[in-house]
Amino acid sequence: MCGIVGYIGGRQAQDVLISGLAKLEYRGYDSAGVAVADGERVVVRKKAGKLANLSGELVHHPLPGTLGIGHTRWATHGLPNDTNAHPHATEDGRIVIIHNGIIENYLSLKEGLISRGHTFKSETDSEVLAHLIEEAYQGDLYEAVRQALSQVRGAYGIVVTHVAHREIVAARTVSPLVMGVGEGEMFLASDVPALLPYTRNMVFLHDGDMVVLHDDGFRVTDLQGNPVERSIDRIEWDAEAAEKGGFDTYMLKEIYEQPTALTNTLIGRLHDDTGEVNLDIGLDPQSFKRISIIACGTAYYAGLVGEYLIEQLARIPVEVDVASEYRYRSPLVSEQTLAIVVSQSGETIDTLEALREAKKGGAKTLGVINAKGSSMTRELDDTLYIHAGPEIGVASTKAYTAQVSAMLMLALWLARARGTLSETRAQELLHAARELPRLVEEALAPERVEQIRRVAEKYAGARDYLFLGRGVNAPTAFEGALKLKEISYIHAEGYAAGEMKHGPIALIDEKLPVVVIATESPLLEKTISNVQEVRARSGKVIALLSDGDTENAGHADDVLYVPRAHEAVSPVVNVVALQLLSYFTATALGKDVDKPRNLAKSVTVE
């Protein structure tokens, strides 16, 4: 993960670097550092902790210069302290590097370097790169970086500068890098939002690309030194889309952005007059006998919703795998398998490697992705973009609901093409999907939000939570528990409601809040039976009920009403209440919801 920024041009580099790193701090915030060249030397300044620690110091002791590189770190090798923070420099300070990723063979490389007289200052694998480049350097920085990278094995996004060269050399394998092209200036970053204040013209680097940035342009090659052409893409995002827009936190802003995000996901794709779905996917939906959905974290739960919907509507066997397990279990795939990977960033390393594993077996591949130009999109056979826009908060909200909506569209697309869904039934479901932005807007009505806040504050002192759901809303329970864990640090477990009596029931007492998703569905009666089991053991029931359900309100200690919705789209509507419950619990406890401890937005290392 980690965030990288580079600049060369006429501006003061320090200002560009700190501005860019502030927009990338969601990628890591264990430490931050910058290196700025002033024409005579490259000065490194770095501090453990959040970016504010570094930027505060730079206010009093600025670094003049118009070339620089910066980094915000999520620690892998070495403790998060000043010494292990990036950038790393050679002993003479002439070569300075920043690295995102993991060098798998760094120990053997380090031992060899030490035996040849090199002295290491940090515990990181990254510092090895600085010394390898120093050994290879004979006046050509690009060539030295290229030779050094030929010795390493692993994942990297690397940027390098040298006191004797007015240029930045960068390369990537797995870890993302994007260039920004300006007038007489060039930019580099791990993600687009860092560059939007300065330019909308972007070049997305591919795996195995190397690039040299000068004031007036760039050149790209592969790792063998062969020239490579990369197009300049125009990004239409408004820079304000990456800012908080008046909300206290990015997470709350993104919760409220969900009606817009859902509109963008669904717009132009649903034709409820005919019951058809147009996803602009070139794959043949009738050629698949089996589907594998592969993802991590929140995206995995979106995949579980997809499993339910695809099997119910398209009648194709579906299995859902955690990507980190899939890639190591020798999965059975063939040309008749469709592997669907789900990822907000399109850079998640476990999902990317699982995608590659599926391709080895001959599977056709489809991605449900938010970020255009990401690594996965370049390796997939086809991509269904969710168009949720930039998501800065580490805990996913709008990307999740957009992913679930995309899964419904995929299920409908497959079902219609395979003849398992009538036009009338398809029209009903498409109409329900088109209602989602309005329903989520209703779910965010002030009186509903205030009730959720009150309930969250009432139970904020709880040490444990249990979340229960059935059918298509079992994954909603899993996602609700994950959100609470991620941002409030309260232990929470999500279960299919029928599983409660097979173990979790032993935990229930008067101190345990149990959130039960009991909205309208054919399984509602059975869910209420589970509520009665909780009540009989003095558990505190927080029930999610559909508007107007007063009959079941008496079974709960607290009720959160949500808009009545078709069961197929209810996971999108219901999860909004759980996002807010987690949010207000965390804020009541004084937690930093945008940057929860030990987590980063895009997990690009194993």
Side-chain angles (χ1 to χ4, degrees), residues 532-549:
Q532 299 285 26
E533 292 170 341
V534 174
R535 296 271 285 175
R537 289 155 182 83
S538 302
K540 302 300 181 184
V541 174
I542 304 169
L544 253 72
L545 299 179
S546 298
D547 280 345
D549 185 356

Side-chain angles (χ1 to χ4, degrees), residues 141-213:
L141 181 60
Y142 163 83
E143 185 59 26
V145 174
R146 194 182 71 80
Q147 290 184 28
L149 291 177
S150 71
Q151 302 177 60
V152 306
R153 187 175 67 252
Y156 55 79
I158 180 175
V159 293
V160 187
T161 190
H162 189 294
V163 69
H165 301 271
R166 186 165 173 80
E167 64 184 21
I168 295 172
V169 178
R172 66 151 291 184
T173 293
V174 178
S175 297
L177 285 176
V178 58
M179 284 190 296
V181 182
E183 292 289 334
E185 58 185 352
M186 291 292 301
F187 307 83
L188 186 76
S190 297
D191 203 354
V192 168
L195 307 183
L196 283 177
Y198 307 103
T199 181
R200 295 180 181 277
N201 296 322
M202 307 291 174
V203 178
F204 293 94
L205 298 180
H206 296 199
D207 268 6
D209 280 356
M210 288 190 66
V211 62
V212 182
L213 289 79

Side-chain angles (χ1 to χ4, degrees), residues 348-418:
T348 308
I349 184 60
D350 287 316
T351 308
L352 181 58
E353 292 296 340
L355 161 64
R356 291 167 177 166
E357 187 66 27
K359 287 172 73 77
K360 285 180 190 175
K364 293 295 184 183
T365 57
L366 175 67
V368 177
I369 309 290
N370 191 32
K372 290 187 176 181
S374 58
S375 297
M376 287 181 206
T377 63
R378 292 193 291 273
E379 299 191 27
L380 289 159
D381 292 314
D382 222 325
T383 303
L384 175 58
Y385 287 109
I386 61 173
H387 302 305
E391 187 177 66
I392 305 302
V394 169
S396 181
T397 51
K398 64 178 182 176
Y400 174 75
T401 49
Q403 287 164 351
V404 173
S405 300
M407 285 294 173
L408 174 58
M409 290 193 296
L410 277 172
L412 291 166
W413 174 71
L414 288 164
R416 290 294 285 148
R418 296 169 64 87

Side-chain angles (χ1 to χ4, degrees), residues 265-280:
T265 301
L266 300 167
I267 193 166
R269 291 167 162 173
L270 306 179
H271 305 280
D272 49 355
D273 54 337
T274 63
E276 299 302 323
V277 181
N278 180 16
L279 301 182
D280 195 26

